[in-house]
PDB file of all heavy atoms in Angstrom:
ATOM      1  N   MET A  70      -1.711  85.883 -50.436  1.00  0.00           N
ATOM      2  CA  MET A  70      -2.742  86.911 -50.301  1.00  0.00           C
ATOM      3  C   MET A  70      -2.136  88.311 -50.229  1.00  0.00           C
ATOM      4  O   MET A  70      -2.686  89.269 -50.785  1.00  0.00           O
ATOM      5  CB  MET A  70      -3.593  86.625 -49.064  1.00  0.00           C
ATOM      6  CG  MET A  70      -4.511  85.431 -49.234  1.00  0.00           C
ATOM      7  SD  MET A  70      -5.538  85.139 -47.778  1.00  0.00           S
ATOM      8  CE  MET A  70      -6.645  83.870 -48.405  1.00  0.00           C
ATOM      9  N   GLN A  86      -3.829 107.213 -61.100  1.00  0.00           N
ATOM     10  CA  GLN A  86      -2.772 108.144 -61.478  1.00  0.00           C
ATOM     11  C   GLN A  86      -2.938 108.592 -62.927  1.00  0.00           C
ATOM     12  O   GLN A  86      -2.742 109.773 -63.250  1.00  0.00           O
ATOM     13  CB  GLN A  86      -1.412 107.467 -61.288  1.00  0.00           C
ATOM     14  CG  GLN A  86      -0.223 108.403 -61.494  1.00  0.00           C
ATOM     15  CD  GLN A  86      -0.206 109.533 -60.476  1.00  0.00           C
ATOM     16  OE1 GLN A  86      -0.349 109.295 -59.268  1.00  0.00           O
ATOM     17  NE2 GLN A  86      -0.068 110.771 -60.945  1.00  0.00           N
ATOM     18  N   GLU A 100      -8.625 126.163 -68.229  1.00  0.00           N
ATOM     19  CA  GLU A 100      -8.319 127.471 -67.642  1.00  0.00           C
ATOM     20  C   GLU A 100      -7.763 128.425 -68.701  1.00  0.00           C
ATOM     21  O   GLU A 100      -8.099 129.628 -68.735  1.00  0.00           O
ATOM     22  CB  GLU A 100      -7.322 127.283 -66.502  1.00  0.00           C
ATOM     23  CG  GLU A 100      -7.920 126.624 -65.262  1.00  0.00           C
ATOM     24  CD  GLU A 100      -6.884 126.424 -64.172  1.00  0.00           C
ATOM     25  OE1 GLU A 100      -5.672 126.519 -64.483  1.00  0.00           O
ATOM     26  OE2 GLU A 100      -7.275 126.128 -63.020  1.00  0.00           O
ATOM     27  N   HIS A 111     -13.758 141.689 -74.614  1.00  0.00           N
ATOM     28  CA  HIS A 111     -13.330 143.095 -74.688  1.00  0.00           C
ATOM     29  C   HIS A 111     -12.825 143.504 -76.080  1.00  0.00           C
ATOM     30  O   HIS A 111     -12.318 144.599 -76.234  1.00  0.00           O
ATOM     31  CB  HIS A 111     -12.211 143.342 -73.654  1.00  0.00           C
ATOM     32  CG  HIS A 111     -12.646 143.020 -72.231  1.00  0.00           C
ATOM     33  ND1 HIS A 111     -13.537 143.822 -71.540  1.00  0.00           N
ATOM     34  CD2 HIS A 111     -12.308 141.991 -71.405  1.00  0.00           C
ATOM     35  CE1 HIS A 111     -13.744 143.302 -70.338  1.00  0.00           C
ATOM     36  NE2 HIS A 111     -12.985 142.164 -70.227  1.00  0.00           N
ATOM     37  N   ASP A 114     -13.483 145.295 -82.188  1.00  0.00           N
ATOM     38  CA  ASP A 114     -13.673 145.068 -83.621  1.00  0.00           C
ATOM     39  C   ASP A 114     -14.566 143.849 -83.789  1.00  0.00           C
ATOM     40  O   ASP A 114     -14.309 142.757 -83.262  1.00  0.00           O
ATOM     41  CB  ASP A 114     -12.308 144.827 -84.280  1.00  0.00           C
ATOM     42  CG  ASP A 114     -12.452 144.771 -85.793  1.00  0.00           C
ATOM     43  OD1 ASP A 114     -13.365 144.027 -86.262  1.00  0.00           O
ATOM     44  OD2 ASP A 114     -11.650 145.383 -86.488  1.00  0.00           O
ATOM     45  N   VAL A 129     -13.676 124.735 -77.514  1.00  0.00           N
ATOM     46  CA  VAL A 129     -14.553 124.149 -76.489  1.00  0.00           C
ATOM     47  C   VAL A 129     -15.031 122.770 -76.946  1.00  0.00           C
ATOM     48  O   VAL A 129     -15.121 121.820 -76.167  1.00  0.00           O
ATOM     49  CB  VAL A 129     -15.731 125.089 -76.200  1.00  0.00           C
ATOM     50  CG1 VAL A 129     -16.810 124.374 -75.395  1.00  0.00           C
ATOM     51  CG2 VAL A 129     -15.236 126.317 -75.461  1.00  0.00           C
ATOM     52  N   PRO A 133     -10.418 118.700 -73.836  1.00  0.00           N
ATOM     53  CA  PRO A 133     -10.363 117.432 -73.081  1.00  0.00           C
ATOM     54  C   PRO A 133     -11.298 117.442 -71.887  1.00  0.00           C
ATOM     55  O   PRO A 133     -11.801 116.381 -71.491  1.00  0.00           O
ATOM     56  CB  PRO A 133      -8.902 117.344 -72.642  1.00  0.00           C
ATOM     57  CG  PRO A 133      -8.157 118.189 -73.619  1.00  0.00           C
ATOM     58  CD  PRO A 133      -9.086 119.320 -73.969  1.00  0.00           C
ATOM     59  N   LEU A 164      -9.864  71.421 -32.811  1.00  0.00           N
ATOM     60  CA  LEU A 164      -8.978  70.349 -33.264  1.00  0.00           C
ATOM     61  C   LEU A 164      -8.737  69.349 -32.132  1.00  0.00           C
ATOM     62  O   LEU A 164      -8.362  69.718 -31.024  1.00  0.00           O
ATOM     63  CB  LEU A 164      -7.646  70.940 -33.747  1.00  0.00           C
ATOM     64  CG  LEU A 164      -6.660  69.975 -34.383  1.00  0.00           C
ATOM     65  CD1 LEU A 164      -7.243  69.380 -35.653  1.00  0.00           C
ATOM     66  CD2 LEU A 164      -5.338  70.679 -34.664  1.00  0.00           C
ATOM     67  N   LEU A 167      -7.520  62.343 -33.690  1.00  0.00           N
ATOM     68  CA  LEU A 167      -8.418  61.609 -34.567  1.00  0.00           C
ATOM     69  C   LEU A 167      -9.055  60.425 -33.839  1.00  0.00           C
ATOM     70  O   LEU A 167      -8.393  59.758 -33.030  1.00  0.00           O
ATOM     71  CB  LEU A 167      -7.645  61.082 -35.775  1.00  0.00           C
ATOM     72  CG  LEU A 167      -7.236  62.127 -36.806  1.00  0.00           C
ATOM     73  CD1 LEU A 167      -6.276  61.507 -37.795  1.00  0.00           C
ATOM     74  CD2 LEU A 167      -8.462  62.661 -37.524  1.00  0.00           C
ATOM     75  N   PRO A 168     -10.311  60.130 -34.101  1.00  0.00           N
ATOM     76  CA  PRO A 168     -10.916  58.916 -33.548  1.00  0.00           C
ATOM     77  C   PRO A 168     -10.278  57.687 -34.186  1.00  0.00           C
ATOM     78  O   PRO A 168     -10.264  57.544 -35.410  1.00  0.00           O
ATOM     79  CB  PRO A 168     -12.394  59.040 -33.935  1.00  0.00           C
ATOM     80  CG  PRO A 168     -12.395  59.953 -35.123  1.00  0.00           C
ATOM     81  CD  PRO A 168     -11.255  60.905 -34.926  1.00  0.00           C
ATOM     82  N   VAL A 176     -12.837  36.063 -35.832  1.00  0.00           N
ATOM     83  CA  VAL A 176     -13.854  35.044 -35.552  1.00  0.00           C
ATOM     84  C   VAL A 176     -13.208  33.677 -35.762  1.00  0.00           C
ATOM     85  O   VAL A 176     -13.122  33.178 -36.893  1.00  0.00           O
ATOM     86  CB  VAL A 176     -15.080  35.215 -36.464  1.00  0.00           C
ATOM     87  CG1 VAL A 176     -16.169  34.228 -36.062  1.00  0.00           C
ATOM     88  CG2 VAL A 176     -15.598  36.645 -36.403  1.00  0.00           C
ATOM     89  N   TRP A 191     -12.854  38.287 -39.665  1.00  0.00           N
ATOM     90  CA  TRP A 191     -12.936  39.130 -38.484  1.00  0.00           C
ATOM     91  C   TRP A 191     -14.167  40.027 -38.558  1.00  0.00           C
ATOM     92  O   TRP A 191     -14.841  40.104 -39.587  1.00  0.00           O
ATOM     93  CB  TRP A 191     -11.672  39.966 -38.334  1.00  0.00           C
ATOM     94  CG  TRP A 191     -11.376  40.841 -39.517  1.00  0.00           C
ATOM     95  CD1 TRP A 191     -11.817  42.110 -39.753  1.00  0.00           C
ATOM     96  CD2 TRP A 191     -10.561  40.504 -40.657  1.00  0.00           C
ATOM     97  NE1 TRP A 191     -11.343  42.578 -40.952  1.00  0.00           N
ATOM     98  CE2 TRP A 191     -10.572  41.625 -41.525  1.00  0.00           C
ATOM     99  CE3 TRP A 191      -9.837  39.369 -41.024  1.00  0.00           C
ATOM    100  CZ2 TRP A 191      -9.874  41.620 -42.720  1.00  0.00           C
ATOM    101  CZ3 TRP A 191      -9.145  39.376 -42.221  1.00  0.00           C
ATOM    102  CH2 TRP A 191      -9.159  40.492 -43.068  1.00  0.00           C
ATOM    103  N   ILE A 193     -15.921  43.955 -36.713  1.00  0.00           N
ATOM    104  CA  ILE A 193     -15.725  45.149 -35.901  1.00  0.00           C
ATOM    105  C   ILE A 193     -16.800  45.154 -34.810  1.00  0.00           C
ATOM    106  O   ILE A 193     -17.989  45.040 -35.117  1.00  0.00           O
ATOM    107  CB  ILE A 193     -15.817  46.421 -36.765  1.00  0.00           C
ATOM    108  CG1 ILE A 193     -14.671  46.459 -37.771  1.00  0.00           C
ATOM    109  CG2 ILE A 193     -15.767  47.667 -35.894  1.00  0.00           C
ATOM    110  CD1 ILE A 193     -13.308  46.569 -37.150  1.00  0.00           C
ATOM    111  N   ALA A 253      -7.749  47.780 -38.112  1.00  0.00           N
ATOM    112  CA  ALA A 253      -8.563  48.581 -39.031  1.00  0.00           C
ATOM    113  C   ALA A 253      -7.938  49.950 -39.206  1.00  0.00           C
ATOM    114  O   ALA A 253      -7.300  50.486 -38.293  1.00  0.00           O
ATOM    115  CB  ALA A 253      -9.988  48.712 -38.488  1.00  0.00           C
ATOM    116  N   PRO A 265      -4.466  38.453 -30.937  1.00  0.00           N
ATOM    117  CA  PRO A 265      -3.933  37.484 -31.906  1.00  0.00           C
ATOM    118  C   PRO A 265      -4.530  36.103 -31.694  1.00  0.00           C
ATOM    119  O   PRO A 265      -4.936  35.738 -30.579  1.00  0.00           O
ATOM    120  CB  PRO A 265      -2.424  37.491 -31.616  1.00  0.00           C
ATOM    121  CG  PRO A 265      -2.318  37.930 -30.192  1.00  0.00           C
ATOM    122  CD  PRO A 265      -3.456  38.882 -29.959  1.00  0.00           C
ATOM    123  N   PHE A 273       3.214  17.295 -43.150  1.00  0.00           N
ATOM    124  CA  PHE A 273       4.379  16.413 -43.180  1.00  0.00           C
ATOM    125  C   PHE A 273       5.527  17.131 -43.875  1.00  0.00           C
ATOM    126  O   PHE A 273       5.439  17.487 -45.049  1.00  0.00           O
ATOM    127  CB  PHE A 273       4.023  15.118 -43.907  1.00  0.00           C
ATOM    128  CG  PHE A 273       5.121  14.092 -43.883  1.00  0.00           C
ATOM    129  CD1 PHE A 273       5.835  13.818 -42.725  1.00  0.00           C
ATOM    130  CD2 PHE A 273       5.445  13.386 -45.031  1.00  0.00           C
ATOM    131  CE1 PHE A 273       6.835  12.870 -42.700  1.00  0.00           C
ATOM    132  CE2 PHE A 273       6.447  12.426 -45.025  1.00  0.00           C
ATOM    133  CZ  PHE A 273       7.143  12.178 -43.853  1.00  0.00           C
ATOM    134  N   ASP A 278      17.506  12.864 -47.734  1.00  0.00           N
ATOM    135  CA  ASP A 278      18.629  12.568 -46.841  1.00  0.00           C
ATOM    136  C   ASP A 278      19.866  12.343 -47.700  1.00  0.00           C
ATOM    137  O   ASP A 278      20.070  11.264 -48.251  1.00  0.00           O
ATOM    138  CB  ASP A 278      18.304  11.339 -45.997  1.00  0.00           C
ATOM    139  CG  ASP A 278      19.419  11.003 -45.009  1.00  0.00           C
ATOM    140  OD1 ASP A 278      20.388  11.778 -44.936  1.00  0.00           O
ATOM    141  OD2 ASP A 278      19.313   9.971 -44.327  1.00  0.00           O
ATOM    142  N   LYS A 287      23.114  13.900 -57.047  1.00  0.00           N
ATOM    143  CA  LYS A 287      23.421  15.204 -56.465  1.00  0.00           C
ATOM    144  C   LYS A 287      22.199  15.667 -55.691  1.00  0.00           C
ATOM    145  O   LYS A 287      21.147  15.939 -56.272  1.00  0.00           O
ATOM    146  CB  LYS A 287      23.759  16.200 -57.575  1.00  0.00           C
ATOM    147  CG  LYS A 287      24.108  17.589 -57.069  1.00  0.00           C
ATOM    148  CD  LYS A 287      24.408  18.512 -58.243  1.00  0.00           C
ATOM    149  CE  LYS A 287      24.718  19.918 -57.770  1.00  0.00           C
ATOM    150  NZ  LYS A 287      24.977  20.830 -58.916  1.00  0.00           N
ATOM    151  N   VAL A 293      16.796  16.447 -56.182  1.00  0.00           N
ATOM    152  CA  VAL A 293      17.825  15.432 -56.433  1.00  0.00           C
ATOM    153  C   VAL A 293      18.000  15.315 -57.940  1.00  0.00           C
ATOM    154  O   VAL A 293      17.028  15.378 -58.696  1.00  0.00           O
ATOM    155  CB  VAL A 293      17.434  14.079 -55.797  1.00  0.00           C
ATOM    156  CG1 VAL A 293      16.093  13.591 -56.324  1.00  0.00           C
ATOM    157  CG2 VAL A 293      18.523  13.035 -56.057  1.00  0.00           C
ATOM    158  N   ARG A 327      22.153  -8.671 -67.750  1.00  0.00           N
ATOM    159  CA  ARG A 327      21.070  -7.795 -68.158  1.00  0.00           C
ATOM    160  C   ARG A 327      19.901  -7.901 -67.207  1.00  0.00           C
ATOM    161  O   ARG A 327      19.065  -7.021 -67.142  1.00  0.00           O
ATOM    162  CB  ARG A 327      20.620  -8.135 -69.573  1.00  0.00           C
ATOM    163  CG  ARG A 327      21.648  -7.804 -70.633  1.00  0.00           C
ATOM    164  CD  ARG A 327      21.186  -8.324 -71.975  1.00  0.00           C
ATOM    165  NE  ARG A 327      19.938  -7.731 -72.379  1.00  0.00           N
ATOM    166  CZ  ARG A 327      19.839  -6.619 -73.103  1.00  0.00           C
ATOM    167  NH1 ARG A 327      20.919  -5.964 -73.447  1.00  0.00           N
ATOM    168  NH2 ARG A 327      18.667  -6.154 -73.441  1.00  0.00           N
ATOM    169  N   SER A 363      11.027   9.647 -40.813  1.00  0.00           N
ATOM    170  CA  SER A 363      10.262   8.406 -40.829  1.00  0.00           C
ATOM    171  C   SER A 363       8.774   8.680 -40.588  1.00  0.00           C
ATOM    172  O   SER A 363       8.396   9.672 -39.965  1.00  0.00           O
ATOM    173  CB  SER A 363      10.773   7.452 -39.756  1.00  0.00           C
ATOM    174  OG  SER A 363      12.123   7.095 -39.990  1.00  0.00           O
ATOM    175  N   HIS A 369      -0.342  11.294 -44.247  1.00  0.00           N
ATOM    176  CA  HIS A 369       0.641  12.247 -44.751  1.00  0.00           C
ATOM    177  C   HIS A 369       0.527  12.356 -46.268  1.00  0.00           C
ATOM    178  O   HIS A 369       0.042  11.435 -46.944  1.00  0.00           O
ATOM    179  CB  HIS A 369       2.053  11.811 -44.362  1.00  0.00           C
ATOM    180  CG  HIS A 369       2.208  11.491 -42.903  1.00  0.00           C
ATOM    181  ND1 HIS A 369       2.397  12.457 -41.948  1.00  0.00           N
ATOM    182  CD2 HIS A 369       2.152  10.303 -42.232  1.00  0.00           C
ATOM    183  CE1 HIS A 369       2.484  11.887 -40.754  1.00  0.00           C
ATOM    184  NE2 HIS A 369       2.336  10.576 -40.895  1.00  0.00           N
ATOM    185  N   LEU A 391      16.317  -1.146 -46.087  1.00  0.00           N
ATOM    186  CA  LEU A 391      16.487  -1.456 -47.504  1.00  0.00           C
ATOM    187  C   LEU A 391      17.963  -1.703 -47.795  1.00  0.00           C
ATOM    188  O   LEU A 391      18.830  -0.914 -47.406  1.00  0.00           O
ATOM    189  CB  LEU A 391      15.960  -0.292 -48.353  1.00  0.00           C
ATOM    190  CG  LEU A 391      15.996  -0.451 -49.860  1.00  0.00           C
ATOM    191  CD1 LEU A 391      15.072  -1.567 -50.312  1.00  0.00           C
ATOM    192  CD2 LEU A 391      15.594   0.860 -50.524  1.00  0.00           C
ATOM    193  N   THR A 465       4.821  -3.134 -40.803  1.00  0.00           N
ATOM    194  CA  THR A 465       5.312  -3.749 -39.576  1.00  0.00           C
ATOM    195  C   THR A 465       6.400  -2.935 -38.897  1.00  0.00           C
ATOM    196  O   THR A 465       6.869  -3.301 -37.821  1.00  0.00           O
ATOM    197  CB  THR A 465       5.861  -5.155 -39.884  1.00  0.00           C
ATOM    198  OG1 THR A 465       6.927  -5.037 -40.841  1.00  0.00           O
ATOM    199  CG2 THR A 465       4.758  -6.042 -40.446  1.00  0.00           C
ATOM    200  N   ILE A 487      -3.095  17.277 -46.567  1.00  0.00           N
ATOM    201  CA  ILE A 487      -3.772  16.333 -47.449  1.00  0.00           C
ATOM    202  C   ILE A 487      -4.861  17.092 -48.194  1.00  0.00           C
ATOM    203  O   ILE A 487      -5.743  17.692 -47.568  1.00  0.00           O
ATOM    204  CB  ILE A 487      -4.377  15.175 -46.643  1.00  0.00           C
ATOM    205  CG1 ILE A 487      -3.274  14.433 -45.888  1.00  0.00           C
ATOM    206  CG2 ILE A 487      -5.129  14.221 -47.561  1.00  0.00           C
ATOM    207  CD1 ILE A 487      -3.782  13.396 -44.927  1.00  0.00           C
ATOM    208  N   TYR A 522      15.429  -1.362 -64.640  1.00  0.00           N
ATOM    209  CA  TYR A 522      16.647  -1.586 -63.866  1.00  0.00           C
ATOM    210  C   TYR A 522      17.500  -2.697 -64.480  1.00  0.00           C
ATOM    211  O   TYR A 522      18.718  -2.645 -64.488  1.00  0.00           O
ATOM    212  CB  TYR A 522      16.299  -1.979 -62.436  1.00  0.00           C
ATOM    213  CG  TYR A 522      15.447  -0.997 -61.702  1.00  0.00           C
ATOM    214  CD1 TYR A 522      14.146  -1.315 -61.338  1.00  0.00           C
ATOM    215  CD2 TYR A 522      15.944   0.245 -61.367  1.00  0.00           C
ATOM    216  CE1 TYR A 522      13.371  -0.421 -60.660  1.00  0.00           C
ATOM    217  CE2 TYR A 522      15.168   1.150 -60.675  1.00  0.00           C
ATOM    218  CZ  TYR A 522      13.876   0.821 -60.320  1.00  0.00           C
ATOM    219  OH  TYR A 522      13.097   1.710 -59.637  1.00  0.00           O
TER     220      TYR A 522
END
Side-chain angles (χ1 to χ4, degrees):
M70 288 182 171
Q86 187 63 49
E100 288 178 344
H111 302 288
D114 187 311
V129 167
L164 186 63
L167 287 170
V176 185
W191 58 88
I193 295 295
F273 185 44
D278 182 4
K287 181 181 178 181
V293 58
R327 292 173 61 91
S363 298
H369 310 279
L391 183 65
T465 59
I487 300 172
Y522 303 113

